[in-house]
Amino acid sequence: MKKKKKIIIIGGIIYAMLSPIFNIKNIIVTGNKKISSETIISLSGLNIDQNIFNFWSNDIEEAVKQNAYMDTVEVKRKLPDIVEINVKERTATYMITLGNAYVHINNQGYILEITAKKLEVPLLIGYNTTAEEIVEGNRLNQTDLEKLNDVLKIMEVASSGKSDISGLITQIDISDRNNYILSLPKEKKTIYLGDTTNLSTKLLWINKFLEEEKNEGIIYLNVNLNTKRPYFREKV
């Protein structure tokens, strides 16, 4: 009896593998905005009329993840003839430069794309990652990841409260963790922020200087706020 069951199961598997009923008729991609469905399908290696059981989902997921914009990938079979590829993409939130090219990175420091296209996101200068390490799919080195974490804290505070100034910040110099330098060209201001301590208090000072000082200059916040008062120096 057991042998008979085994034969039936094997027969069912062979039927499924050979029957045209289970040939893929449609490949659906969901969750993508940046990367086209055509590109994702091409990366997957799946083909129309391929048997729906003739692949390993893990292999397809890893193949699609070759694109640096792919954060998570999930492959689902919808019998009898549909395969669905669900993806979650990474989003470029910062840039660095490499020669004449722009390097798009996300909040986790993943290098998403090296391109001539400039985005409307803050440019990070003074980074430590070497040119050899800047490869799509890689992450910034550990030193820069720690600095990026500081940048995220700065931008979070900058976007909080009644005055959201995060959109004014076009460039952040991360060369010195003790003195991050923010550029706000629309306000004609450079901010010597210091480190990431007392960020909420520093934001109050920034708003005060932006409101009171209309000329081009530097806001100095890289002082001990417990003993010294921040100040503005107009550009001569």
Side-chain angles (χ1 to χ4, degrees), residues 202-217:
K202 288 175 179 178
L203 178 62
L204 294 175
W205 279 105
I206 291 171
N207 286 328
K208 176 181 173 62
F209 284 122
L210 291 181
E211 184 178 340
E212 295 179 354
E213 304 291 346
K214 300 306 177 184
N215 294 323
E216 184 175 1

PDB file of all heavy atoms in Angstrom, residues 202-217:
ATOM      1  N   LYS A 202      20.564  73.224  19.839  1.00  0.00           N
ATOM      2  CA  LYS A 202      21.254  73.816  18.696  1.00  0.00           C
ATOM      3  C   LYS A 202      20.257  74.223  17.604  1.00  0.00           C
ATOM      4  O   LYS A 202      20.436  75.248  16.937  1.00  0.00           O
ATOM      5  CB  LYS A 202      22.296  72.840  18.147  1.00  0.00           C
ATOM      6  CG  LYS A 202      23.506  72.685  19.062  1.00  0.00           C
ATOM      7  CD  LYS A 202      24.481  71.632  18.564  1.00  0.00           C
ATOM      8  CE  LYS A 202      25.691  71.536  19.489  1.00  0.00           C
ATOM      9  NZ  LYS A 202      26.645  70.484  19.077  1.00  0.00           N
ATOM     10  N   LEU A 203      19.203  73.414  17.425  1.00  0.00           N
ATOM     11  CA  LEU A 203      18.186  73.758  16.433  1.00  0.00           C
ATOM     12  C   LEU A 203      17.501  75.076  16.796  1.00  0.00           C
ATOM     13  O   LEU A 203      17.218  75.900  15.910  1.00  0.00           O
ATOM     14  CB  LEU A 203      17.151  72.636  16.321  1.00  0.00           C
ATOM     15  CG  LEU A 203      16.001  72.892  15.342  1.00  0.00           C
ATOM     16  CD1 LEU A 203      16.521  73.045  13.916  1.00  0.00           C
ATOM     17  CD2 LEU A 203      14.960  71.771  15.417  1.00  0.00           C
ATOM     18  N   LEU A 204      17.250  75.280  18.071  1.00  0.00           N
ATOM     19  CA  LEU A 204      16.639  76.544  18.506  1.00  0.00           C
ATOM     20  C   LEU A 204      17.540  77.731  18.157  1.00  0.00           C
ATOM     21  O   LEU A 204      17.071  78.775  17.709  1.00  0.00           O
ATOM     22  CB  LEU A 204      16.378  76.500  20.012  1.00  0.00           C
ATOM     23  CG  LEU A 204      15.328  75.489  20.489  1.00  0.00           C
ATOM     24  CD1 LEU A 204      15.265  75.476  22.014  1.00  0.00           C
ATOM     25  CD2 LEU A 204      13.966  75.798  19.895  1.00  0.00           C
ATOM     26  N   TRP A 205      18.834  77.557  18.375  1.00  0.00           N
ATOM     27  CA  TRP A 205      19.788  78.615  18.038  1.00  0.00           C
ATOM     28  C   TRP A 205      19.838  78.846  16.529  1.00  0.00           C
ATOM     29  O   TRP A 205      19.902  79.991  16.072  1.00  0.00           O
ATOM     30  CB  TRP A 205      21.171  78.272  18.567  1.00  0.00           C
ATOM     31  CG  TRP A 205      21.366  78.569  20.013  1.00  0.00           C
ATOM     32  CD1 TRP A 205      21.416  77.691  21.064  1.00  0.00           C
ATOM     33  CD2 TRP A 205      21.538  79.873  20.600  1.00  0.00           C
ATOM     34  NE1 TRP A 205      21.607  78.345  22.246  1.00  0.00           N
ATOM     35  CE2 TRP A 205      21.692  79.691  21.995  1.00  0.00           C
ATOM     36  CE3 TRP A 205      21.576  81.166  20.080  1.00  0.00           C
ATOM     37  CZ2 TRP A 205      21.882  80.754  22.870  1.00  0.00           C
ATOM     38  CZ3 TRP A 205      21.767  82.234  20.950  1.00  0.00           C
ATOM     39  CH2 TRP A 205      21.907  82.022  22.328  1.00  0.00           C
ATOM     40  N   ILE A 206      19.809  77.766  15.764  1.00  0.00           N
ATOM     41  CA  ILE A 206      19.826  77.905  14.300  1.00  0.00           C
ATOM     42  C   ILE A 206      18.627  78.725  13.842  1.00  0.00           C
ATOM     43  O   ILE A 206      18.752  79.657  13.035  1.00  0.00           O
ATOM     44  CB  ILE A 206      19.834  76.514  13.616  1.00  0.00           C
ATOM     45  CG1 ILE A 206      21.170  75.802  13.859  1.00  0.00           C
ATOM     46  CG2 ILE A 206      19.593  76.661  12.100  1.00  0.00           C
ATOM     47  CD1 ILE A 206      21.172  74.349  13.416  1.00  0.00           C
ATOM     48  N   ASN A 207      17.448  78.371  14.333  1.00  0.00           N
ATOM     49  CA  ASN A 207      16.234  79.094  13.948  1.00  0.00           C
ATOM     50  C   ASN A 207      16.321  80.567  14.335  1.00  0.00           C
ATOM     51  O   ASN A 207      15.890  81.452  13.574  1.00  0.00           O
ATOM     52  CB  ASN A 207      15.010  78.451  14.602  1.00  0.00           C
ATOM     53  CG  ASN A 207      14.636  77.121  13.952  1.00  0.00           C
ATOM     54  OD1 ASN A 207      14.839  76.937  12.756  1.00  0.00           O
ATOM     55  ND2 ASN A 207      14.111  76.204  14.734  1.00  0.00           N
ATOM     56  N   LYS A 208      16.885  80.834  15.491  1.00  0.00           N
ATOM     57  CA  LYS A 208      17.036  82.214  15.958  1.00  0.00           C
ATOM     58  C   LYS A 208      17.939  83.010  15.023  1.00  0.00           C
ATOM     59  O   LYS A 208      17.604  84.129  14.594  1.00  0.00           O
ATOM     60  CB  LYS A 208      17.612  82.212  17.378  1.00  0.00           C
ATOM     61  CG  LYS A 208      17.920  83.599  17.955  1.00  0.00           C
ATOM     62  CD  LYS A 208      18.499  83.467  19.360  1.00  0.00           C
ATOM     63  CE  LYS A 208      18.981  84.799  19.890  1.00  0.00           C
ATOM     64  NZ  LYS A 208      17.886  85.798  20.011  1.00  0.00           N
ATOM     65  N   PHE A 209      19.100  82.411  14.666  1.00  0.00           N
ATOM     66  CA  PHE A 209      20.035  83.105  13.773  1.00  0.00           C
ATOM     67  C   PHE A 209      19.456  83.278  12.366  1.00  0.00           C
ATOM     68  O   PHE A 209      19.651  84.324  11.731  1.00  0.00           O
ATOM     69  CB  PHE A 209      21.367  82.356  13.708  1.00  0.00           C
ATOM     70  CG  PHE A 209      22.229  82.537  14.925  1.00  0.00           C
ATOM     71  CD1 PHE A 209      22.649  81.444  15.662  1.00  0.00           C
ATOM     72  CD2 PHE A 209      22.646  83.798  15.328  1.00  0.00           C
ATOM     73  CE1 PHE A 209      23.451  81.605  16.790  1.00  0.00           C
ATOM     74  CE2 PHE A 209      23.447  83.974  16.447  1.00  0.00           C
ATOM     75  CZ  PHE A 209      23.850  82.868  17.188  1.00  0.00           C
ATOM     76  N   LEU A 210      18.741  82.264  11.881  1.00  0.00           N
ATOM     77  CA  LEU A 210      18.150  82.372  10.546  1.00  0.00           C
ATOM     78  C   LEU A 210      17.095  83.472  10.501  1.00  0.00           C
ATOM     79  O   LEU A 210      16.922  84.143   9.476  1.00  0.00           O
ATOM     80  CB  LEU A 210      17.535  81.029  10.129  1.00  0.00           C
ATOM     81  CG  LEU A 210      18.501  79.868   9.850  1.00  0.00           C
ATOM     82  CD1 LEU A 210      17.729  78.634   9.422  1.00  0.00           C
ATOM     83  CD2 LEU A 210      19.542  80.237   8.810  1.00  0.00           C
ATOM     84  N   GLU A 211      16.416  83.654  11.591  1.00  0.00           N
ATOM     85  CA  GLU A 211      15.384  84.681  11.654  1.00  0.00           C
ATOM     86  C   GLU A 211      15.975  86.080  11.780  1.00  0.00           C
ATOM     87  O   GLU A 211      15.489  87.036  11.163  1.00  0.00           O
ATOM     88  CB  GLU A 211      14.462  84.413  12.849  1.00  0.00           C
ATOM     89  CG  GLU A 211      13.296  85.366  12.952  1.00  0.00           C
ATOM     90  CD  GLU A 211      12.385  85.044  14.122  1.00  0.00           C
ATOM     91  OE1 GLU A 211      12.421  83.898  14.611  1.00  0.00           O
ATOM     92  OE2 GLU A 211      11.637  85.952  14.543  1.00  0.00           O
ATOM     93  N   GLU A 212      17.059  86.187  12.541  1.00  0.00           N
ATOM     94  CA  GLU A 212      17.611  87.514  12.857  1.00  0.00           C
ATOM     95  C   GLU A 212      18.692  87.978  11.888  1.00  0.00           C
ATOM     96  O   GLU A 212      18.839  89.181  11.644  1.00  0.00           O
ATOM     97  CB  GLU A 212      18.175  87.509  14.277  1.00  0.00           C
ATOM     98  CG  GLU A 212      17.113  87.306  15.351  1.00  0.00           C
ATOM     99  CD  GLU A 212      17.701  87.269  16.750  1.00  0.00           C
ATOM    100  OE1 GLU A 212      18.961  87.289  16.867  1.00  0.00           O
ATOM    101  OE2 GLU A 212      16.924  87.206  17.718  1.00  0.00           O
ATOM    102  N   GLU A 213      19.469  87.040  11.362  1.00  0.00           N
ATOM    103  CA  GLU A 213      20.616  87.410  10.527  1.00  0.00           C
ATOM    104  C   GLU A 213      20.298  87.150   9.061  1.00  0.00           C
ATOM    105  O   GLU A 213      20.116  86.011   8.645  1.00  0.00           O
ATOM    106  CB  GLU A 213      21.862  86.610  10.944  1.00  0.00           C
ATOM    107  CG  GLU A 213      22.239  86.750  12.414  1.00  0.00           C
ATOM    108  CD  GLU A 213      22.752  88.141  12.750  1.00  0.00           C
ATOM    109  OE1 GLU A 213      23.071  88.909  11.821  1.00  0.00           O
ATOM    110  OE2 GLU A 213      22.826  88.468  13.944  1.00  0.00           O
ATOM    111  N   LYS A 214      20.244  88.189   8.263  1.00  0.00           N
ATOM    112  CA  LYS A 214      19.875  88.057   6.857  1.00  0.00           C
ATOM    113  C   LYS A 214      21.077  88.092   5.913  1.00  0.00           C
ATOM    114  O   LYS A 214      20.954  87.787   4.737  1.00  0.00           O
ATOM    115  CB  LYS A 214      18.894  89.162   6.468  1.00  0.00           C
ATOM    116  CG  LYS A 214      17.601  89.141   7.276  1.00  0.00           C
ATOM    117  CD  LYS A 214      16.925  87.776   7.229  1.00  0.00           C
ATOM    118  CE  LYS A 214      15.671  87.728   8.089  1.00  0.00           C
ATOM    119  NZ  LYS A 214      15.062  86.378   8.114  1.00  0.00           N
ATOM    120  N   ASN A 215      22.236  88.446   6.432  1.00  0.00           N
ATOM    121  CA  ASN A 215      23.430  88.504   5.597  1.00  0.00           C
ATOM    122  C   ASN A 215      24.149  87.159   5.568  1.00  0.00           C
ATOM    123  O   ASN A 215      23.914  86.286   6.407  1.00  0.00           O
ATOM    124  CB  ASN A 215      24.383  89.595   6.107  1.00  0.00           C
ATOM    125  CG  ASN A 215      23.795  90.986   5.946  1.00  0.00           C
ATOM    126  OD1 ASN A 215      23.109  91.266   4.963  1.00  0.00           O
ATOM    127  ND2 ASN A 215      24.055  91.856   6.912  1.00  0.00           N
ATOM    128  N   GLU A 216      25.038  87.018   4.602  1.00  0.00           N
ATOM    129  CA  GLU A 216      25.808  85.786   4.464  1.00  0.00           C
ATOM    130  C   GLU A 216      26.823  85.678   5.593  1.00  0.00           C
ATOM    131  O   GLU A 216      27.446  86.673   5.991  1.00  0.00           O
ATOM    132  CB  GLU A 216      26.535  85.769   3.116  1.00  0.00           C
ATOM    133  CG  GLU A 216      27.291  84.483   2.831  1.00  0.00           C
ATOM    134  CD  GLU A 216      27.895  84.459   1.447  1.00  0.00           C
ATOM    135  OE1 GLU A 216      27.732  85.462   0.707  1.00  0.00           O
ATOM    136  OE2 GLU A 216      28.533  83.448   1.100  1.00  0.00           O
ATOM    137  N   GLY A 217      26.982  84.447   6.113  1.00  0.00           N
ATOM    138  CA  GLY A 217      27.967  84.270   7.172  1.00  0.00           C
ATOM    139  C   GLY A 217      27.941  82.873   7.771  1.00  0.00           C
ATOM    140  O   GLY A 217      27.316  81.949   7.229  1.00  0.00           O
TER     141      GLY A 217
END
